[in-house]
């Protein structure tokens, strides 16, 4: 994994420097390209020696929702021509880290057994920002196996108040 991070770093740094004037706009299309690049069928297509870089670019540009900005098109062409399409998810992750460092925020993933409405999510985000003492970019992912409650991951910090975690604690206490 360290090799992929090493490959991705110069691309992420160049992308960050080039998009300083519109970091939020760049973050949107970087995330979209990351999602597209995670498709195993696309990666298999791109790895085919009979397929040209132009064909791979046209396929990805066709899949992308809406027209890509000129910077995105140039970035994508460079990544494809250099054979680094598989590194695009890591490039996007490193770009997000740089963007968050610039804005003084962090990504927070809230895992919940049930959907959270927007009002409750806004209240939860405010509480989590106080708890973690920084601005958070909150996203929600459903995990029904949690049974109830939430599990929050901010960087390497985890706050687990799920029913599943409490049951595991009780199990450990009873078997100890």
């Amino acid at each position: 994994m360290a090799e992929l991070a090493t490959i991705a770093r110069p691309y992420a740094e160049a992308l960050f420097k080039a998009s300083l004037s519109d970091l939020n706009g760049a973050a949107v299309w970087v995330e979209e390209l990351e999602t597209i690049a995670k498709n195993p069928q696309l990666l298999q297509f791109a790895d085919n020696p009979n397929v040209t870089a132009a064909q791979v670019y046209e396929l990805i540009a066709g899949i992308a929702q809406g027209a890509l900005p000129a910077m995105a098109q140039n970035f994508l062409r460079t990544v494809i021509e250099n054979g680094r399409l598989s590194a695009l998810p890591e490039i996007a992750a490193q770009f997000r880290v740089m963007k968050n460092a610039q804005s003084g925020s962090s990504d927070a993933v809230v895992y919940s057994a049930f959907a959270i409405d927007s009002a409750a999510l806004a209240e939860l985000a405010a509480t989590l920002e106080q708890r973690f003492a920084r601005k958070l970019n909150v996203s929600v992912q459903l995990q029904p196996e949690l049974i109830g409650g939430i599990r929050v991951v901010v960087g390497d910090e985890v706050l687990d108040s799920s029913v599943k975690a409490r049951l595991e604690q009780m199990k450990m206490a009873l078997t100890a």
Side-chain angles (χ1 to χ4, degrees):
M1 235 12 178
E3 181 178 317
L4 190 58
T6 304
I7 291 169
R9 186 174 304 111
Y11 291 95
E13 288 174 352
L15 178 60
F16 180 75
K17 288 176 185 173
S19 63
L20 277 174
S21 62
D22 184 21
L23 281 176
N24 291 331
V28 171
W29 58 258
V30 167
E31 186 174 319
E32 182 178 3
L33 292 178
E34 173 189 18
T35 303
I36 293 170
K38 286 182 177 178
N39 185 320
Q41 293 168 330
L42 174 69
L43 293 174
Q44 184 179 10
F45 177 76
D47 287 341
N48 186 334
N50 296 325
V51 175
T52 66
Q55 290 172 317
V56 174
Y57 171 80
E58 290 301 322
L59 176 64
I60 294 174
I63 294 172
Q65 298 174 351
L68 292 172
M71 183 187 299
Q73 293 174 11
N74 293 336
F75 174 73
L76 183 58
R77 281 190 179 104
T78 301
V79 168
I80 292 170
E81 288 170 3
N82 292 332
R84 302 298 190 202
L85 189 62
S86 61
L88 196 54
E90 180 64 23
I91 294 169
Q94 289 187 22
F95 176 81
R96 263 192 310 278
V97 168
M98 290 178 209
K99 179 184 169 289
N100 287 343
Q102 171 89 11
S103 66
S105 63
S106 296
D107 289 331
V109 181
V110 176
Y111 298 96
S112 174
F114 303 100
I116 301 174
D117 66 14
S118 57
L121 184 59
E123 186 178 324
L124 176 63
T127 304
L128 291 174
E129 286 178 357
Q130 288 178 345
R131 165 70 169 81
F132 288 100
R134 58 184 169 255
K135 173 99 175 80
L136 298 175
N137 306 318
V138 180
S139 63
V140 178
Q141 290 186 12
L142 293 181
Q143 276 191 342
E145 61 271 12
L146 293 179
I147 304 169
I150 61 170
R151 180 174 178 259
V152 181
V153 178
V154 179
D156 61 351
E157 298 177 72
V158 177
L159 174 65
D160 197 343
S161 64
S162 66
V163 172
K164 180 180 179 182
R166 291 182 183 168
L167 289 173
E168 287 293 324
Q169 290 172 349
M170 288 173 47
K171 177 183 172 185
M172 294 298 290
L174 289 173
T175 57

